[in-house]
């Protein structure tokens, strides 16, 4: 149980004893005491005043006195300010918590018993979902880090999680790269050019659009309208023919498609491996684009869908403040929403999901609303268990990125820049002269990737953001580098102390109690233990909100608090053996939780830096 739940239990029992009524956690709130007041936790009394018909001050004093009387080992004092009962936790439960959990590397995470008790859910998280006509870019990275971190946070809350991606490997945009490669590549391959396959294919997607613009300009100079020129441009007509050939199974087109996609898949995998991202299953649009047609026919029979004169099939969602939506073209071919309906059903049937989470940018809000309403109107039972985790776009300080114009920042390039920036900042500190070349390479990679992930995840997903590589690596700012540095500092402290010294204090809790009677916990010691205890609540909150920034903010504030504690109180040269062991345990538990929190964000920790 957390301190908050313990206080809730004690308060309910005491209120019932005082006023001979039944109470529950819904009758009052418990918050962290504000810094300007004395205390650790605050019971907000206002909601109780009307029921009990006593002033907040009288109510607070009566409840506070009874809590101290009934639970003297847990509470040491209280004060009442207006409608707030501020409670101070006694030293013994704080020391006991530290003693029992300082070596627990899984502290705060849900136990297997929680899952077995029926609270565990089977959840699928879909993220990344790139196109095979270009490499991953900075925008993908926010999506990827967000999806992966949410999946890990949901695991830490006791859920069974399946990580998935759908690769968009077919369609007109894929054919654009294929046509451009045919016309301009002269047989170039990743091996012949020594270029990553996804970058090579992306180059020809850009080349297509350059050539397309030239042809449009030429046709317009000959008198064609812009609209007509866009339709008649030879390279576009070739692309459209290639798409039809692909859909009809033309062997030459299929072989070219397979070859170029294999280059891209290999490139994606190299990037995923470098950034530490994995999937349990990958769907491919080429295998799923026909899904959903059966549901269209079912929808027509139920009069949920309707046909227009050209044979196209639509759904009317105006009653949900949405428009009419095309779900099947007049020629019988699928649109994206058709596939999405079928794939949604496949996911729930194949994996028996309790929840399906789509990590998709906020520019797709309309599409996702339409999808949810369609599957609801079709009577599919999982409609309310499909969730769109929307996030804002990420931009660079130079502005928006456009793939077709070649102005996108490729993920590999920004990763390389981050590692180089980490190297520059680390060398400026001048504390790695004794590192080997391999150790330095690993350190720069750890710091560069950690800084990028933390910077992209520290912001609430719903907010748009601007990414500044230089700002993201600051050993004194709100950065992953600062948190990593704090972890490395603690490891340095612990290396100075023989491991066996961490176990000097007897395991008997009575011994801890005797020590505290001689040397009580100091304010920063208390504050640090209380903050460490909240980690399980933070994990729970991050899971409920599907928001990794909750974890990022917590580990940053923990690192700040530890540095304040360390600046005031020596660990290795403490004033007594008891204090030394107490502070060593505080250091170990802090390091464990920093490492655990960063791992939920996909960030590694350096043992020294």
């Amino acid at each position: 149980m957390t301190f908050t739940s313990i206080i809730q239990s004690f308060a309910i029992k005491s209120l019932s004893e005082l006023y001979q009524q039944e109470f529950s956690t819904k009758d009052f709130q418990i918050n962290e005491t504000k810094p300007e007041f004395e205390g650790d936790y605050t019971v907000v009394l206002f909601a109780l005043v009307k029921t009990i018909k006593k002033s907040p001050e009288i109510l607070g004093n009566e409840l506070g006195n009874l809590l101290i009387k009934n639970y003297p080992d847990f509470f040491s004092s209280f004060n009442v300010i207006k409608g707030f009962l501020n409670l101070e936790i006694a030293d013994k439960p704080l020391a006991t918590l530290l003693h029992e959990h300082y070596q627990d590397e899984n502290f705060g995470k849900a136990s297997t018993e929680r899952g077995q008790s029926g609270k565990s859910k089977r959840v699928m998280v879909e993220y990344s979902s790139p196109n095979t006509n270009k490499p991953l870019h900075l925008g993908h990275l926010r999506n990827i880090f967000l999806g992966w971190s949410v999946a890990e946070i949901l695991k830490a809350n006791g859920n069974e999680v399946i990580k998935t991606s759908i690769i968009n490997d077919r369609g007109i945009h894929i054919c654009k790269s294929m046509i451009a490669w045919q016309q301009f590549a002269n047989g170039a391959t990743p091996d012949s050019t020594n270029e990553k396959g996804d970058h090579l294919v992306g180059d020809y997607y850009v080349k297509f659009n350059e050539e397309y613009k030239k042809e449009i300009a030429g046709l317009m100079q000959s008198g064609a309208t812009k609209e007509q020129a866009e339709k008649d441009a030879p390279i576009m007509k070739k692309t459209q023919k290639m798409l039809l050939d692909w859909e009809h199974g033309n062997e030459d087109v299929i072989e070219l498609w397979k070859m170029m996609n294999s280059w891209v898949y290999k490139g994606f995998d190299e990037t995923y491996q470098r950034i530490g991202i994995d999937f349990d299953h990958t769907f491919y649009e080429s295998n799923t684009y026909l899904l959903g047609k059966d549901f269209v026919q079912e929808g027509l029979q139920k009069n949920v869908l309707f046909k227009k004169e050209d044979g196209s099939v639509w759904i009317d969602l105006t009653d949900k403040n949405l428009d009419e939506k095309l779900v099947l073209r007049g020629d019988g071919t699928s649109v994206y929403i058709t596939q999405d309906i079928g794939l949604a059903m496949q996911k729930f049937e194949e994996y028996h999901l309790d929840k399906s989470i789509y990590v998709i940018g906020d520019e797709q809000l309309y599409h996702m609303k339409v999808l949810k309403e369609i599957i609801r109107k079709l009577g599919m039972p999982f409609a309310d268990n499909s969730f769109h985790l929307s996030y804002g776009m990420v931009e660079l300080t130079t502005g928006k990125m456009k793939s077709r114009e070649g102005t996108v920042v490729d993920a590999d390039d920004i990763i390389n820049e981050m590692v180089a920036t980490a190297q520059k900042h680390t060398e400026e500190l001048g504390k790695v002269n004794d590192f080997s070349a391999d150790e330095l390479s690993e350190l720069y990679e750890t710091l560069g990737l950690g800084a990028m992930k933390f910077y992209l995840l520290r912001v609430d997903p719903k907010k748009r953001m601007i990414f500044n590589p230089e700002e993201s690596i600051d050993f004194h700012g709100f950065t992953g580098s600062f948190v990593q540095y704090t972890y490395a500092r603690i490891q340095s402290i612990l290396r100075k102390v023989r491991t066996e010294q961490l176990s000097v204090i007897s395991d008997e809790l009575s011994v801890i109690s005797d020590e505290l009677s001689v040397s009580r916990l100091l304010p920063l010691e208390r504050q640090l233990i209380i903050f460490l205890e909240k980690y399980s609540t933070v994990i729970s909150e991050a899971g409920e909100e599907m928001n990794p920034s909750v974890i990022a903010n917590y580990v940053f504030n923990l690192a700040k608090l530890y540095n304040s504690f360390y600046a005031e109180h020596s660990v290795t040269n403490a004033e007594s053996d008891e204090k030394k062991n107490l502070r060593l345990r505080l250091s170990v538990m802090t390091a464990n939780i920093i490492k655990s929190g960063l791992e939920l964000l996909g960030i590694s920790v350096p043992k020294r830096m």
Side-chain angles (χ1 to χ4, degrees), residues 47-86:
L48 292 165
V49 171
K50 186 176 181 181
T51 303
I52 298 173
K53 295 181 172 57
K54 291 194 175 185
S55 71
E57 186 173 353
I58 293 173
L59 171 57
N61 278 290
E62 288 180 346
L63 177 57
N65 280 316
L66 190 58
L67 287 171
I68 295 291
K69 177 185 174 183
N70 288 348
Y71 309 103
D73 289 338
F74 194 85
F75 298 108
S76 58
S77 66
F78 76 92
N79 65 81
V80 180
I81 299 177
K82 296 183 178 179
F84 303 98
L85 169 60
N86 303 315

Side-chain angles (χ1 to χ4, degrees), residues 481-499:
S481 306
F482 170 76
V483 182
Q484 289 173 314
Y485 182 77
T486 302
Y487 178 86
R489 164 182 263 183
I490 295 173
Q491 297 309 304
S492 177
I493 294 168
L494 298 177
R495 280 194 295 271
K496 295 176 184 177
V497 182
R498 293 197 309 273
T499 305

Side-chain angles (χ1 to χ4, degrees), residues 168 223 230 279 292 304 312 329 357 415 421 441 468 491 567 587:
N168 302 300
E230 289 172 348
F279 304 96
V304 173
S312 59
R329 295 189 184 95
I357 299 169
I415 292 167
T421 304
S441 178
N468 185 331
Q491 297 309 304
S587 300

Side-chain angles (χ1 to χ4, degrees), residues 295 298 302 341 344-346 348-349 353-356 372 374-386:
F295 299 110
E298 183 181 325
K302 292 180 178 179
I341 296 166
M345 176 61 83
Q346 180 182 331
F348 277 91
E349 288 185 342
L353 303 177
D354 295 299
K355 192 169 192 176
S356 179
K372 193 162 188 172
I374 290 176
I375 58 180
R376 181 179 283 125
K377 284 179 178 286
L378 288 173
M380 296 180 181
F382 53 83
D384 292 329
N385 296 330
S386 297

Side-chain angles (χ1 to χ4, degrees), residues 348-402:
F348 277 91
E349 288 185 342
E350 186 175 338
Y351 288 95
H352 308 290
L353 303 177
D354 295 299
K355 192 169 192 176
S356 179
I357 299 169
Y358 298 81
V359 183
I360 302 176
D362 59 11
E363 78 279 5
Q364 294 294 328
L365 276 170
Y366 179 81
H367 179 86
M368 294 306 297
K369 285 180 181 178
V370 167
L371 174 62
K372 193 162 188 172
E373 288 303 326
I374 290 176
I375 58 180
R376 181 179 283 125
K377 284 179 178 286
L378 288 173
M380 296 180 181
F382 53 83
D384 292 329
N385 296 330
S386 297
F387 182 82
H388 176 201
L389 177 51
S390 172
Y391 65 93
M393 291 293 97
V394 56
E395 299 175 8
L396 286 167
T397 50
T398 52
K400 293 184 179 180
M401 304 176 291
K402 297 181 181 179

Side-chain angles (χ1 to χ4, degrees), residues 315-589:
I315 187 168
D316 185 357
L317 297 175
T318 53
D319 60 324
K320 299 296 181 180
N321 294 318
L322 301 168
D323 299 324
E324 291 184 349
K325 178 68 178 179
L326 174 71
V327 295
L328 200 68
R329 295 189 184 95
D331 60 5
T333 56
S334 301
V335 292
Y336 275 118
I337 204 78
T338 329
Q339 166 193 281
D340 291 342
I341 296 166
L343 183 55
M345 176 61 83
Q346 180 182 331
K347 286 179 179 179
F348 277 91
E349 288 185 342
E350 186 175 338
Y351 288 95
H352 308 290
L353 303 177
D354 295 299
K355 192 169 192 176
S356 179
I357 299 169
Y358 298 81
V359 183
I360 302 176
D362 59 11
E363 78 279 5
Q364 294 294 328
L365 276 170
Y366 179 81
H367 179 86
M368 294 306 297
K369 285 180 181 178
V370 167
L371 174 62
K372 193 162 188 172
E373 288 303 326
I374 290 176
I375 58 180
R376 181 179 283 125
K377 284 179 178 286
L378 288 173
M380 296 180 181
F382 53 83
D384 292 329
N385 296 330
S386 297
F387 182 82
H388 176 201
L389 177 51
S390 172
Y391 65 93
M393 291 293 97
V394 56
E395 299 175 8
L396 286 167
T397 50
T398 52
K400 293 184 179 180
M401 304 176 291
K402 297 181 181 179
S403 322
R404 62 182 178 273
E405 295 178 8
T407 59
V408 132
V409 177
D410 292 337
D412 297 308
D413 294 337
I414 197 71
I415 292 167
N416 290 334
E417 181 180 345
M418 291 302 301
V419 172
T421 304
Q423 178 176 351
K424 183 186 77 171
H425 282 267
T426 304
E427 288 175 348
E428 287 172 355
L429 290 177
K431 296 182 179 181
V432 291
N433 295 331
D434 60 335
F435 280 49
S436 69
D438 288 343
E439 288 173 331
L440 284 174
S441 178
E442 182 180 354
L443 177 63
Y444 299 148
E445 194 85 2
T446 298
L447 294 178
L449 287 173
M452 178 170 58
K453 290 181 180 183
F454 192 91
Y455 199 92
L456 291 174
L457 291 174
R458 70 179 193 176
V459 178
D460 187 299
K462 294 184 286 294
K463 296 181 180 178
R464 293 187 171 234
M465 64 174 296
I466 295 176
F467 181 69
N468 185 331
E470 188 69 29
E471 184 180 277
S472 69
I473 298 182
D474 179 353
F475 291 110
H476 304 288
F478 180 17
T479 63
S481 306
F482 170 76
V483 182
Q484 289 173 314
Y485 182 77
T486 302
Y487 178 86
R489 164 182 263 183
I490 295 173
Q491 297 309 304
S492 177
I493 294 168
L494 298 177
R495 280 194 295 271
K496 295 176 184 177
V497 182
R498 293 197 309 273
T499 305
E500 56 266 27
Q501 283 186 273
L502 296 177
S503 303
V504 169
I505 297 178
S506 167
D507 286 344
E508 294 295 328
L509 296 183
S510 60
V511 177
I512 294 180
S513 181
D514 291 341
E515 287 166 3
L516 291 174
S517 66
V518 177
S519 178
R520 293 183 59 80
L521 292 174
L522 298 173
L524 280 170
E525 293 169 343
R526 291 175 50 80
Q527 192 177 348
L528 189 51
I529 295 173
I530 289 171
F531 200 80
L532 291 167
E533 189 272 339
K534 292 175 182 175
Y535 184 47
S536 62
T537 303
V538 169
I539 291 177
S540 178
E541 180 185 340
E544 288 173 5
E545 297 180 8
M546 288 183 274
N547 183 357
S549 73
V550 173
I551 301 288
N553 279 273
Y554 173 81
V555 293
F556 171 71
N557 286 317
L558 175 57
K560 275 205 312 181
L561 180 57
Y562 182 85
N563 282 301
S564 297
F565 155 78
Y566 184 69
E568 289 290 327
H569 304 299
S570 174
V571 176
T572 55
N573 296 312
E575 52 269 33
S576 67
D577 286 341
E578 290 81 10
K579 280 295 185 185
K580 181 176 182 178
N581 278 276
L582 174 78
R583 292 172 189 171
L584 284 169
R585 292 179 182 210
L586 270 173
S587 300
V588 171
M589 191 168 182

